[in-house]
Amino acid sequence: MIHSFKNDYSEMAHPNILNALAAVGNKQFEGYGLDEHSATAALLIQKKIKAPYSDIHFIAGGTHANLVLISSALRPHEAVIAAKSGHIYMHEAGAIEATGHKICIRDGQNGKLTVADIESVLDEHNGDEHMVKPKLVYLSLSTECGTVYTRAELGAITYFCRKNSLYLYIDGARLGNAVNSSACDMKYSDIASLADAFFIGGTKNGALFGEAIVICNEELQNDFRFLLKQRGGMLAKTAAIGVQFKELFSGDLYDKLAKHSNTMAMKLAKGIAGLGYEFLYPVETNLIIPIFPDEIAEKLHELYAFYDFQKFDDKTAVRLLTSWATSESIVERFVADLAALS
């Protein structure tokens, strides 16, 4: 079987996670997130992000987290602002639109929205009741291009959002990779202070499955469990997610796994750059997008699994992802194979 660089969740789960789940065994627990494991995990997360009054809710996956949070935050006539590359626009089968909310997109810059992008959407709609009303700004950290926001960039967006009564929601499927990137100057506590809500991704950072929705704005906390249930997000066995997040945040495992995947990506990028290849976007996290001649990309497809990201005249930008389980040996093998093909 060839090695896959398609995503960072191909490996089942970190051994510590599997051991923690096995240790619970057939012991009974309360259902629907009211169990002791979820309660402990929530306290650990609140401590990590330094937001004791935040609400924590555990949910199975990122698309579901986005759907439940966004649909619960918006009234029927309200809309979302997102980058064109944003996950809710590109890869969620119209989940947000299916709830009746339009996504207003902008090209952004390296996968990131700017204040100018957001302002242009507001100017375009101008409070006209014949159009949808933009109300929530969606961004990803890290982005779908592997880039991260700086504190200054995110702070400027937060200031603009609060000035214009917009909610700011962050998709944190790869939040660990963002915070542990050398290009990022933020801590988890900064994100909690700047966003109205966000989620902490577990699925893409060593967990079997599961994400933790964090709601910091009290306006969005009201009746959220009703909305979580209504949208099919309240699991009877939420404890299975609570156990995992308790393991991830009781020590430094969450950050350790994210640092490893970032380190492997940097090593991979260094080897690729050393052979003279360029990248479509800055290399900042565990998602990198090098550009290869078509014939090289085609030959690499015979050796490894990965996605083509963007086609040019005679070149292809490909998407490579490393994970918590990626070994140095597989990175070195890829670089050696690329050198041989080059």
Side-chain angles (χ1 to χ4, degrees), residues 182-199:
S182 60
C184 184
D185 57 355
M186 288 186 286
K187 299 178 180 178
Y188 296 103
S189 56
D190 294 313
I191 294 161
S193 69
L194 293 171
D196 292 291
F198 62 99
F199 79 83

Side-chain angles (χ1 to χ4, degrees), residues 200-218:
I200 301 173
T203 302
K204 296 177 179 178
N205 197 35
L208 186 62
F209 65 94
E211 333 294 336
I213 296 175
V214 181
I215 305 177
C216 303
N217 187 328
E218 289 184 8

Side-chain angles (χ1 to χ4, degrees), residues 45-51 139 141 149-156 158-159 162 168 170 175 178-179 184-198 214 216:
I45 290 172
Q46 288 172 334
K47 182 178 179 181
K48 183 77 171 181
I49 66 176
K50 297 182 180 179
L139 56 86
L141 190 61
Y149 289 83
T150 63
R151 198 187 194 291
E153 290 171 334
L154 191 59
T158 299
Y159 178 80
R162 290 175 180 171
L168 175 60
I170 297 175
L175 191 65
V179 172
C184 184
D185 57 355
M186 288 186 286
K187 299 178 180 178
Y188 296 103
S189 56
D190 294 313
I191 294 161
S193 69
L194 293 171
D196 292 291
F198 62 99
V214 181
C216 303

Side-chain angles (χ1 to χ4, degrees), residues 81-84 104-125 134 137 149 157 160 166:
I81 301 172
K84 188 176 181 179
C104 305
I105 60 167
R106 288 295 182 267
D107 288 337
Q109 201 169 42
N110 290 336
K112 298 187 286 185
L113 282 176
T114 65
V115 169
D117 291 325
I118 301 167
E119 188 171 24
S120 71
V121 174
L122 297 188
D123 290 343
E124 185 178 273
H125 291 75
V137 173
Y149 289 83
I157 291 173
F160 183 85
L166 300 171

Side-chain angles (χ1 to χ4, degrees), residues 1-4 10-11 302-305 330 333:
M1 181 177 177
I2 64 175
H3 184 84
S4 175
S10 290
E11 296 89 3
E302 298 175 6
L303 303 173
Y304 301 92
I330 196 65
R333 193 176 89 191

Side-chain angles (χ1 to χ4, degrees), residues 126-148:
N126 197 29
D128 185 348
E129 66 271 12
H130 297 285
M131 305 174 75
V132 293
K133 179 182 179 182
K135 181 62 179 179
L136 182 145
V137 173
Y138 165 96
L139 56 86
S140 302
L141 190 61
S142 57
T143 72
E144 290 74 20
C145 301
T147 53
V148 301

Side-chain angles (χ1 to χ4, degrees), residues 34-339:
L34 302 177
D35 61 282
E36 61 184 276
H37 307 291
S38 297
T40 300
L43 288 172
L44 289 170
I45 290 172
Q46 288 172 334
K47 182 178 179 181
K48 183 77 171 181
I49 66 176
K50 297 182 180 179
Y53 300 109
S54 60
D55 271 2
I56 314 293
H57 303 271
F58 297 106
I59 195 165
T63 294
H64 211 168
N66 290 336
L67 185 151
V68 175
L69 191 289
I70 292 173
S71 64
S72 69
L74 301 181
R75 296 181 68 189
H77 61 288
E78 292 176 335
V80 186
I81 301 172
K84 188 176 181 179
S85 59
H87 206 267
I88 59 169
Y89 180 72
M90 290 291 290
H91 293 117
E92 295 187 359
I96 302 304
E97 290 95 336
T99 65
H101 300 288
K102 183 177 180 179
I103 302 176
C104 305
I105 60 167
R106 288 295 182 267
D107 288 337
Q109 201 169 42
N110 290 336
K112 298 187 286 185
L113 282 176
T114 65
V115 169
D117 291 325
I118 301 167
E119 188 171 24
S120 71
V121 174
L122 297 188
D123 290 343
E124 185 178 273
H125 291 75
N126 197 29
D128 185 348
E129 66 271 12
H130 297 285
M131 305 174 75
V132 293
K133 179 182 179 182
K135 181 62 179 179
L136 182 145
V137 173
Y138 165 96
L139 56 86
S140 302
L141 190 61
S142 57
T143 72
E144 290 74 20
C145 301
T147 53
V148 301
Y149 289 83
T150 63
R151 198 187 194 291
E153 290 171 334
L154 191 59
I157 291 173
T158 299
Y159 178 80
F160 183 85
C161 286
R162 290 175 180 171
K163 185 179 178 182
N164 291 277
S165 299
L166 300 171
Y167 295 126
L168 175 60
Y169 169 62
I170 297 175
D171 180 325
R174 296 189 177 95
L175 191 65
N177 298 104
V179 172
N180 287 283
S181 166
S182 60
C184 184
D185 57 355
M186 288 186 286
K187 299 178 180 178
Y188 296 103
S189 56
D190 294 313
I191 294 161
S193 69
L194 293 171
D196 292 291
F198 62 99
F199 79 83
I200 301 173
T203 302
K204 296 177 179 178
N205 197 35
L208 186 62
F209 65 94
E211 333 294 336
I213 296 175
V214 181
I215 305 177
C216 303
N217 187 328
E218 289 184 8
E219 290 180 14
L220 302 180
Q221 293 176 0
N222 295 332
D223 291 339
F224 188 78
R225 279 179 61 83
F226 287 92
L227 299 160
L228 187 64
K229 178 67 176 181
Q230 189 180 70
R231 292 290 183 187
M234 187 177 287
L235 301 179
K237 294 186 179 181
T238 301
I241 305 175
V243 167
Q244 296 179 73
F245 273 85
K246 184 169 69 172
E247 183 65 28
L248 287 169
F249 283 91
S250 59
D252 64 349
L253 183 60
Y254 190 78
D255 288 319
K256 181 180 178 182
L257 298 182
K259 287 176 182 177
H260 175 82
S261 55
N262 282 357
T263 299
M264 291 301 100
M266 296 305 113
K267 183 178 179 69
L268 183 60
K270 183 178 180 181
I272 293 170
L275 294 172
Y277 297 106
E278 297 181 343
F279 294 82
L280 189 60
Y281 299 108
V283 174
E284 296 178 347
T285 58
N286 67 320
L287 189 162
I288 65 174
I289 306 177
I291 303 170
F292 298 131
D294 287 342
E295 62 272 17
I296 298 293
E298 290 171 6
K299 290 176 181 177
L300 283 171
H301 271 300
E302 298 175 6
L303 303 173
Y304 301 92
F306 56 87
Y307 291 115
D308 291 341
F309 187 85
Q310 186 174 332
K311 292 284 188 178
F312 300 99
D313 291 338
D314 57 352
K315 294 181 179 181
T316 303
V318 308
R319 193 186 80 153
L320 304 175
L321 274 150
T322 53
S323 80
W324 61 270
T326 302
S327 66
E328 285 195 45
S329 61
I330 196 65
V331 169
E332 291 168 352
R333 193 176 89 191
F334 184 96
V335 174
D337 287 339
L338 178 59

